[in-house]
Amino acid sequence: MKLDDLPLAEFAFPGPLRDTLVAAILSGAKTSTTGLLIGYECANEPLPEVGQRSAVVDSAGRRVAAIELTDVRVIRLADVDLPHALDEGEGDESVAQWRAGHEAFWHSAEVRAELGDSDFTADDDTLVVTQRFRLVHVV
């Protein structure tokens, strides 16, 4: 499999969080992820589709693995369930814990800058894109 031919799958921003998430993907602990629908809209990016393969990149920009999407849903933040939260592989033990961590990230200056909204706040009705994936190749 040629990772150079695949679109990039970037988890968080380069740095410690990305390194943690990539390690969780490589270990098999992380098999789901969640993004803000508004993030796709602001970047003018199409939503991911089931069957799509992407190259996972680490903080140094190296392509370290390939994943394939097995499920994609657009749902309200309040509708994220425990199995999805657990499968994110970040050690959360409840949806509330998962949500607190994600809201801290989404309310960060970096995400708000990407969205062009310094006051962005997620709430129960915020639409998120949940994705499930499987690891198909490791470098």
Side-chain angles (χ1 to χ4, degrees), residues 95-108:
V95 173
Q97 187 180 22
W98 170 89
R99 184 167 167 168
H102 278 70
E103 285 185 10
F105 177 74
W106 293 331
H107 296 161
S108 70

Side-chain angles (χ1 to χ4, degrees), residues 23-31 87 135:
I25 292 167
L26 295 177
S27 75
K30 182 172 181 63
T31 58
D87 289 345
L135 186 62

